[in-house]
Amino acid sequence: MQRLIPTLLAALLTLGSAQAADKTVAPPETVDKLAWLAGCWNVDGAEPGSGEQWSTAAGGTILGTSRTVKGGKTTAFEFVQIRLTEPGQLAYIVQPSGQPPVIFNLLRQDKPNEFIFANLDNDFPSRILYRHDSERVVHASITGTLKGKLTTIAFPMTRGRCEAAPITRSK
């Protein structure tokens, strides 16, 4: 009997390890899933200069900026980070027009090309959606309560060229 107990215990431990190995573990979230954002995006129908510019995914982050131009002047801008804020939690961290940062955690990924971030403590927006329709088309939208009404503002965007100002060199 004393010899049977260690053998039985070893068999149970082996069975438990095999069952644990059989369970599929979801891969951790990474910013690489949003690598298609990299580049420059012009807001369709808006004044030239209105749009977003996103860096490539590197070091666990994607960095972005946006600018809204009306009447030839910048009327709004944002700095954005997409990164992990805690193990496995992908977040969209936005700092609009110099205000303090607001964190929107990934609520769900409906398809490989659609991401919904949410912060239900924030009135407007409380949700941010990015949907990649093709290499040239992205649909972004913000949804939340604005003046007591559920409101969605859409930002259809087309990929543009990321142009830099020419460098002038002194002689």
PDB file of all heavy atoms in Angstrom, residues 134-154:
ATOM      1  N   SER A 134      -9.628  48.523 -45.827  1.00  0.00           N
ATOM      2  CA  SER A 134      -8.671  48.134 -46.866  1.00  0.00           C
ATOM      3  C   SER A 134      -7.364  48.859 -46.585  1.00  0.00           C
ATOM      4  O   SER A 134      -7.281  49.636 -45.636  1.00  0.00           O
ATOM      5  CB  SER A 134      -9.201  48.503 -48.253  1.00  0.00           C
ATOM      6  OG  SER A 134      -9.154  49.906 -48.449  1.00  0.00           O
ATOM      7  N   GLU A 135      -6.374  48.636 -47.434  1.00  0.00           N
ATOM      8  CA  GLU A 135      -5.084  49.312 -47.253  1.00  0.00           C
ATOM      9  C   GLU A 135      -5.225  50.830 -47.316  1.00  0.00           C
ATOM     10  O   GLU A 135      -4.401  51.549 -46.794  1.00  0.00           O
ATOM     11  CB  GLU A 135      -4.087  48.852 -48.326  1.00  0.00           C
ATOM     12  CG  GLU A 135      -3.569  47.452 -48.090  1.00  0.00           C
ATOM     13  CD  GLU A 135      -2.803  47.336 -46.786  1.00  0.00           C
ATOM     14  OE1 GLU A 135      -1.972  48.213 -46.484  1.00  0.00           O
ATOM     15  OE2 GLU A 135      -3.052  46.364 -46.058  1.00  0.00           O
ATOM     16  N   ARG A 136      -6.282  51.304 -47.962  1.00  0.00           N
ATOM     17  CA  ARG A 136      -6.455  52.741 -48.165  1.00  0.00           C
ATOM     18  C   ARG A 136      -7.592  53.361 -47.368  1.00  0.00           C
ATOM     19  O   ARG A 136      -7.768  54.575 -47.394  1.00  0.00           O
ATOM     20  CB  ARG A 136      -6.681  53.026 -49.650  1.00  0.00           C
ATOM     21  CG  ARG A 136      -5.497  52.609 -50.499  1.00  0.00           C
ATOM     22  CD  ARG A 136      -5.391  53.304 -51.825  1.00  0.00           C
ATOM     23  NE  ARG A 136      -5.724  54.707 -51.894  1.00  0.00           N
ATOM     24  CZ  ARG A 136      -4.918  55.723 -51.544  1.00  0.00           C
ATOM     25  NH1 ARG A 136      -3.727  55.471 -51.075  1.00  0.00           N
ATOM     26  NH2 ARG A 136      -5.304  56.969 -51.684  1.00  0.00           N
ATOM     27  N   VAL A 137      -8.408  52.552 -46.679  1.00  0.00           N
ATOM     28  CA  VAL A 137      -9.603  53.086 -46.014  1.00  0.00           C
ATOM     29  C   VAL A 137      -9.671  52.641 -44.551  1.00  0.00           C
ATOM     30  O   VAL A 137      -9.583  51.458 -44.249  1.00  0.00           O
ATOM     31  CB  VAL A 137     -10.888  52.647 -46.755  1.00  0.00           C
ATOM     32  CG1 VAL A 137     -12.129  53.140 -46.036  1.00  0.00           C
ATOM     33  CG2 VAL A 137     -10.878  53.138 -48.200  1.00  0.00           C
ATOM     34  N   VAL A 138      -9.847  53.631 -43.676  1.00  0.00           N
ATOM     35  CA  VAL A 138     -10.059  53.390 -42.243  1.00  0.00           C
ATOM     36  C   VAL A 138     -11.286  54.186 -41.818  1.00  0.00           C
ATOM     37  O   VAL A 138     -11.481  55.326 -42.240  1.00  0.00           O
ATOM     38  CB  VAL A 138      -8.840  53.823 -41.398  1.00  0.00           C
ATOM     39  CG1 VAL A 138      -9.177  53.958 -39.929  1.00  0.00           C
ATOM     40  CG2 VAL A 138      -7.697  52.847 -41.567  1.00  0.00           C
ATOM     41  N   HIS A 139     -12.112  53.562 -41.006  1.00  0.00           N
ATOM     42  CA  HIS A 139     -13.252  54.262 -40.402  1.00  0.00           C
ATOM     43  C   HIS A 139     -12.999  54.348 -38.907  1.00  0.00           C
ATOM     44  O   HIS A 139     -12.830  53.329 -38.250  1.00  0.00           O
ATOM     45  CB  HIS A 139     -14.562  53.513 -40.662  1.00  0.00           C
ATOM     46  CG  HIS A 139     -14.980  53.544 -42.086  1.00  0.00           C
ATOM     47  ND1 HIS A 139     -15.667  54.596 -42.637  1.00  0.00           N
ATOM     48  CD2 HIS A 139     -14.787  52.672 -43.092  1.00  0.00           C
ATOM     49  CE1 HIS A 139     -15.880  54.358 -43.915  1.00  0.00           C
ATOM     50  NE2 HIS A 139     -15.356  53.198 -44.215  1.00  0.00           N
ATOM     51  N   ALA A 140     -12.973  55.566 -38.403  1.00  0.00           N
ATOM     52  CA  ALA A 140     -12.871  55.779 -36.968  1.00  0.00           C
ATOM     53  C   ALA A 140     -14.164  56.458 -36.533  1.00  0.00           C
ATOM     54  O   ALA A 140     -14.802  57.164 -37.321  1.00  0.00           O
ATOM     55  CB  ALA A 140     -11.676  56.667 -36.637  1.00  0.00           C
ATOM     56  N   SER A 141     -14.574  56.210 -35.306  1.00  0.00           N
ATOM     57  CA  SER A 141     -15.740  56.925 -34.775  1.00  0.00           C
ATOM     58  C   SER A 141     -15.623  57.014 -33.262  1.00  0.00           C
ATOM     59  O   SER A 141     -14.935  56.217 -32.635  1.00  0.00           O
ATOM     60  CB  SER A 141     -17.052  56.233 -35.172  1.00  0.00           C
ATOM     61  OG  SER A 141     -17.137  54.949 -34.594  1.00  0.00           O
ATOM     62  N   ILE A 142     -16.275  58.025 -32.733  1.00  0.00           N
ATOM     63  CA  ILE A 142     -16.374  58.193 -31.284  1.00  0.00           C
ATOM     64  C   ILE A 142     -17.856  58.247 -30.930  1.00  0.00           C
ATOM     65  O   ILE A 142     -18.656  58.831 -31.656  1.00  0.00           O
ATOM     66  CB  ILE A 142     -15.613  59.455 -30.791  1.00  0.00           C
ATOM     67  CG1 ILE A 142     -16.060  60.713 -31.539  1.00  0.00           C
ATOM     68  CG2 ILE A 142     -14.111  59.251 -30.945  1.00  0.00           C
ATOM     69  CD1 ILE A 142     -15.407  61.997 -31.043  1.00  0.00           C
ATOM     70  N   THR A 143     -18.196  57.598 -29.809  1.00  0.00           N
ATOM     71  CA  THR A 143     -19.593  57.519 -29.371  1.00  0.00           C
ATOM     72  C   THR A 143     -19.660  57.824 -27.889  1.00  0.00           C
ATOM     73  O   THR A 143     -18.777  57.445 -27.120  1.00  0.00           O
ATOM     74  CB  THR A 143     -20.153  56.097 -29.628  1.00  0.00           C
ATOM     75  OG1 THR A 143     -20.063  55.822 -31.022  1.00  0.00           O
ATOM     76  CG2 THR A 143     -21.596  55.971 -29.185  1.00  0.00           C
ATOM     77  N   GLY A 144     -20.722  58.485 -27.476  1.00  0.00           N
ATOM     78  CA  GLY A 144     -20.941  58.768 -26.068  1.00  0.00           C
ATOM     79  C   GLY A 144     -22.123  59.692 -25.888  1.00  0.00           C
ATOM     80  O   GLY A 144     -22.857  59.981 -26.835  1.00  0.00           O
ATOM     81  N   THR A 145     -22.283  60.157 -24.669  1.00  0.00           N
ATOM     82  CA  THR A 145     -23.385  61.052 -24.340  1.00  0.00           C
ATOM     83  C   THR A 145     -22.913  62.497 -24.473  1.00  0.00           C
ATOM     84  O   THR A 145     -21.995  62.925 -23.786  1.00  0.00           O
ATOM     85  CB  THR A 145     -23.900  60.788 -22.911  1.00  0.00           C
ATOM     86  OG1 THR A 145     -24.268  59.415 -22.826  1.00  0.00           O
ATOM     87  CG2 THR A 145     -25.088  61.670 -22.583  1.00  0.00           C
ATOM     88  N   LEU A 146     -23.561  63.217 -25.376  1.00  0.00           N
ATOM     89  CA  LEU A 146     -23.226  64.616 -25.631  1.00  0.00           C
ATOM     90  C   LEU A 146     -24.508  65.424 -25.518  1.00  0.00           C
ATOM     91  O   LEU A 146     -25.468  65.164 -26.252  1.00  0.00           O
ATOM     92  CB  LEU A 146     -22.601  64.745 -27.027  1.00  0.00           C
ATOM     93  CG  LEU A 146     -21.953  66.058 -27.401  1.00  0.00           C
ATOM     94  CD1 LEU A 146     -20.798  66.393 -26.456  1.00  0.00           C
ATOM     95  CD2 LEU A 146     -21.433  65.989 -28.832  1.00  0.00           C
ATOM     96  N   LYS A 147     -24.542  66.354 -24.577  1.00  0.00           N
ATOM     97  CA  LYS A 147     -25.729  67.174 -24.324  1.00  0.00           C
ATOM     98  C   LYS A 147     -26.959  66.301 -24.068  1.00  0.00           C
ATOM     99  O   LYS A 147     -28.049  66.558 -24.574  1.00  0.00           O
ATOM    100  CB  LYS A 147     -25.981  68.147 -25.469  1.00  0.00           C
ATOM    101  CG  LYS A 147     -24.848  69.134 -25.669  1.00  0.00           C
ATOM    102  CD  LYS A 147     -25.129  70.098 -26.797  1.00  0.00           C
ATOM    103  CE  LYS A 147     -23.946  71.025 -26.977  1.00  0.00           C
ATOM    104  NZ  LYS A 147     -24.110  71.932 -28.101  1.00  0.00           N
ATOM    105  N   GLY A 148     -26.739  65.209 -23.303  1.00  0.00           N
ATOM    106  CA  GLY A 148     -27.843  64.332 -22.902  1.00  0.00           C
ATOM    107  C   GLY A 148     -28.303  63.337 -23.948  1.00  0.00           C
ATOM    108  O   GLY A 148     -29.242  62.591 -23.717  1.00  0.00           O
ATOM    109  N   LYS A 149     -27.667  63.315 -25.112  1.00  0.00           N
ATOM    110  CA  LYS A 149     -28.076  62.398 -26.183  1.00  0.00           C
ATOM    111  C   LYS A 149     -26.922  61.491 -26.579  1.00  0.00           C
ATOM    112  O   LYS A 149     -25.769  61.938 -26.644  1.00  0.00           O
ATOM    113  CB  LYS A 149     -28.520  63.184 -27.424  1.00  0.00           C
ATOM    114  CG  LYS A 149     -29.813  63.968 -27.246  1.00  0.00           C
ATOM    115  CD  LYS A 149     -30.164  64.721 -28.503  1.00  0.00           C
ATOM    116  CE  LYS A 149     -30.615  63.725 -29.562  1.00  0.00           C
ATOM    117  NZ  LYS A 149     -31.117  64.400 -30.780  1.00  0.00           N
ATOM    118  N   LEU A 150     -27.240  60.238 -26.885  1.00  0.00           N
ATOM    119  CA  LEU A 150     -26.245  59.316 -27.413  1.00  0.00           C
ATOM    120  C   LEU A 150     -25.847  59.816 -28.801  1.00  0.00           C
ATOM    121  O   LEU A 150     -26.696  59.987 -29.680  1.00  0.00           O
ATOM    122  CB  LEU A 150     -26.796  57.892 -27.488  1.00  0.00           C
ATOM    123  CG  LEU A 150     -25.812  56.835 -27.967  1.00  0.00           C
ATOM    124  CD1 LEU A 150     -24.629  56.714 -27.009  1.00  0.00           C
ATOM    125  CD2 LEU A 150     -26.504  55.490 -28.117  1.00  0.00           C
ATOM    126  N   THR A 151     -24.565  60.076 -28.991  1.00  0.00           N
ATOM    127  CA  THR A 151     -24.076  60.680 -30.224  1.00  0.00           C
ATOM    128  C   THR A 151     -22.878  59.905 -30.756  1.00  0.00           C
ATOM    129  O   THR A 151     -22.010  59.503 -29.986  1.00  0.00           O
ATOM    130  CB  THR A 151     -23.646  62.147 -29.968  1.00  0.00           C
ATOM    131  OG1 THR A 151     -24.757  62.855 -29.405  1.00  0.00           O
ATOM    132  CG2 THR A 151     -23.189  62.829 -31.236  1.00  0.00           C
ATOM    133  N   THR A 152     -22.845  59.713 -32.059  1.00  0.00           N
ATOM    134  CA  THR A 152     -21.689  59.108 -32.726  1.00  0.00           C
ATOM    135  C   THR A 152     -21.189  60.082 -33.783  1.00  0.00           C
ATOM    136  O   THR A 152     -21.980  60.623 -34.557  1.00  0.00           O
ATOM    137  CB  THR A 152     -22.061  57.770 -33.398  1.00  0.00           C
ATOM    138  OG1 THR A 152     -22.478  56.848 -32.393  1.00  0.00           O
ATOM    139  CG2 THR A 152     -20.879  57.176 -34.157  1.00  0.00           C
ATOM    140  N   ILE A 153     -19.897  60.306 -33.780  1.00  0.00           N
ATOM    141  CA  ILE A 153     -19.265  61.132 -34.807  1.00  0.00           C
ATOM    142  C   ILE A 153     -18.312  60.229 -35.574  1.00  0.00           C
ATOM    143  O   ILE A 153     -17.432  59.594 -34.985  1.00  0.00           O
ATOM    144  CB  ILE A 153     -18.518  62.331 -34.195  1.00  0.00           C
ATOM    145  CG1 ILE A 153     -19.495  63.215 -33.411  1.00  0.00           C
ATOM    146  CG2 ILE A 153     -17.812  63.131 -35.294  1.00  0.00           C
ATOM    147  CD1 ILE A 153     -18.833  64.342 -32.645  1.00  0.00           C
ATOM    148  N   ALA A 154     -18.499  60.160 -36.873  1.00  0.00           N
ATOM    149  CA  ALA A 154     -17.692  59.294 -37.735  1.00  0.00           C
ATOM    150  C   ALA A 154     -16.563  60.093 -38.383  1.00  0.00           C
ATOM    151  O   ALA A 154     -16.730  61.261 -38.730  1.00  0.00           O
ATOM    152  CB  ALA A 154     -18.562  58.663 -38.801  1.00  0.00           C
TER     153      ALA A 154
END
